[in-house]
Amino acid sequence: MKIFLYSVGLIAVALAAVVTTVQIPSVQGILLEREVAQRASNIPEDLFVDDAVRVTLCGSAAPMPVRDRAAACVMVIAGGKYYIVDTGNRSTNNLALWRIPSARVGAVLLTHFHSDHIGDLGEFNMTTWAQGRPGPLTVYGPKGVEQVVEGFTRAYALDSLYRTAHHGKEILDPAVGKMVARELTLDGDSAVVLEDGDLKVQMFRVNHSPIEPAVGYRFDYKGRSVVVSGDTTKVETTIKFSQNADVLIHEGLARHIVKRMEKHFASKGDKRLEKIMLDIEDYHTSPIEAAEVANEANVKELVLYHLVPAPPHALAEWFFMRGVKDIRSAGVTLGYDGLTLVLPVGSNEIRQLNLDARY
Ligand SMILES: [Zn+2]
Ligand SMILES: [Zn+2]
């Protein structure tokens, strides 16, 4: 007992000494300098080494509120540049936190114009401009993208003026801070978005009726491939454009959970939320259906994102994934913000890492 009390006393004295020491301004100065230097240098340049395609979830949730997850956002890195599929709200915070270098931005590609896919477009444009993007931001999308870009541009026009006035044209040139909309017309079910060296990006039609058009994207680079579904039901075009893909990032709505929510709201007499729950059930894909899509397309790894509702803890993740293993016993990952898949060129390997854990 004596030894225990003696140890507790020693620890208390040591803690008091630490607390006293960090109050000293010169000590704080040293600690702050170290912290600033560490954060400033923590740029993930390894993600941009041109030996692999990499894909990171910068947002794994949908409109339903949840902690620690941004709304829909996927970053695909290939050929030294990164491409952002959808800028869901809070996704720019993730990208800035992970110190993704703005000088390497390729383009933004929008799947459709629901707010959980476009909410951060203005923030993404403003943040990457301030952090040194070399030119205007290109925003690809189906019909409607011009209107969306025009709207965000107008909403941020005053802020752009403030920034240039404050920091000067040398630092924040308004010509660089612009967004340029590139509206693509589907030729049948698809369109080529861009071909840049070894990178080819295609857009394909999905079914998110009554939202029309809604699209997904396929990225091919040096024999490796990534498909992002956007919001859709289980649809033939996703299966067609995901054939033999390495990674399929597919949306998932756990219908069995949403049905329960619908019944709960009905029992409470909340007609509005009951109706909304009912309406969303039939224009998304269940995790089981997404597993079927991945199987039918012979995809190596299926990653579920745009999770409705996004599971807030491990137990909820089990509920969310109920029945998936019966359809697809391996090659399925439930997405989270920061999940990164590395696809080395010249191999079939797919490695996973958590980018968020570095920060
Ligand atoms: Zn959505
Ligand atoms: Zn949607």
Side-chain angles (χ1 to χ4, degrees):
M1 189 63 179
K2 255 188 179 172
I3 292 173
F4 174 72
L5 287 174
Y6 182 68
S7 306
V8 169
L10 263 184
I11 291 168
V13 169
L15 277 175
V18 169
V19 169
T20 309
T21 308
V22 295
Q23 309 287 336
I24 302 167
S26 59
V27 174
Q28 284 189 358
I30 293 166
L31 293 174
L32 274 173
E33 195 167 319
R34 268 196 205 160
E35 181 69 15
V36 169
Q38 199 269 337
R39 282 179 186 256
S41 63
N42 200 8
I43 296 169
E45 282 295 345
D46 58 309
L47 296 184
F48 295 90
V49 178
D50 192 23
D51 59 350
V53 174
R54 294 170 179 86
V55 55
T56 298
L57 292 188
C58 31
S60 56
M64 284 187 197
V66 64
R67 285 185 203 283
D68 302 324
R69 290 179 190 265
C73 177
V74 179
M75 172 172 67
V76 181
I77 303 174
K81 289 184 191 166
Y82 70 93
Y83 300 85
I84 300 292
V85 179
D86 288 337
T87 50
N89 38 309
R90 297 197 284 161
S91 58
T92 300
N93 187 58
N94 275 341
L95 296 164
L97 186 69
W98 301 333
R99 302 199 42 82
I100 304 301
S102 298
R104 292 185 176 276
V105 64
V108 168
L109 302 92
L110 298 176
T111 60
H112 64 299
F113 312 116
H114 266 147
S115 57
D116 56 316
H117 297 255
I118 63 168
D120 253 12
L121 183 59
E123 284 302 291
F124 181 77
N125 182 51
M126 183 59 72
T127 303
T128 51
W129 177 39
Q131 290 178 347
R133 197 180 69 221
L137 179 66
T138 307
V139 184
Y140 293 99
K143 187 171 166 46
V145 71
E146 283 175 2
Q147 184 183 335
V148 169
V149 165
E150 201 181 297
F152 274 102
T153 300
R154 193 159 160 67
Y156 279 72
L158 289 174
D159 192 6
S160 298
L161 288 176
Y162 303 152
R163 307 272 173 185
T164 305
H166 191 188
H167 303 291
K169 204 179 161 196
E170 288 295 301
I171 301 291
L172 285 170
D173 182 349
V176 175
K178 286 188 163 63
M179 285 190 276
V180 179
R182 291 259 190 273
E183 195 163 289
L184 292 151
T185 307
L186 291 164
D187 178 14
D189 282 332
S190 67
V192 173
V193 178
L194 62 95
E195 286 181 282
D196 183 3
D198 291 306
L199 177 67
K200 182 177 182 185
V201 184
Q202 296 171 87
M203 166 195 274
F204 57 90
R205 187 190 303 277
V206 293
N207 175 29
H208 192 36
S209 179
I211 288 75
E212 178 66 37
V215 301
Y217 291 97
R218 179 180 172 121
F219 292 74
D220 283 278
Y221 184 77
K222 294 185 177 176
R224 304 306 308 257
S225 49
V226 174
V227 178
V228 183
S229 72
D231 284 9
T232 182
T233 58
K234 180 186 174 186
V235 69
E236 205 50 49
T237 44
T238 314
I239 297 168
K240 182 179 163 193
F241 282 89
S242 303
Q243 278 304 314
N244 303 317
D246 290 304
V247 176
L248 169 61
I249 314 277
H250 204 294
E251 67 123 282
L253 175 143
R255 216 167 274 138
H256 56 291
I257 300 176
V258 174
K259 267 255 171 279
R260 270 183 198 272
M261 293 168 77
E262 181 199 329
K263 281 190 181 140
H264 170 80
F265 292 127
S267 74
K268 297 282 175 199
D270 190 333
K271 295 268 175 229
R272 168 180 287 265
L273 285 180
E274 180 196 354
K275 172 79 164 66
I276 289 174
M277 291 303 121
L278 176 69
D279 289 344
I280 64 173
E281 284 165 28
D282 67 357
Y283 78 161
H284 288 292
T285 306
S286 74
I288 288 175
E289 289 168 338
E292 290 169 356
V293 170
N295 288 351
E296 287 165 41
N298 194 32
V299 163
K300 288 194 192 73
E301 185 71 27
L302 166 67
V303 174
L304 290 167
Y305 89 126
H306 191 276
L307 308 175
V308 185
H313 48 69
L315 194 60
E317 290 178 9
W318 290 346
F319 295 154
F320 192 94
M321 296 297 275
R322 194 170 78 187
V324 171
K325 288 281 178 207
D326 298 337
I327 304 294
R328 188 174 169 89
S329 57
V332 190
T333 302
L334 184 64
Y336 56 87
D337 290 21
L339 170 65
T340 300
L341 295 99
V342 182
L343 288 60
V345 167
S347 87
N348 286 323
E349 193 190 352
I350 300 174
R351 293 196 303 272
Q352 290 194 10
L353 61 90
N354 180 0
L355 184 59
D356 200 55
R358 295 185 188 179
Y359 296 86

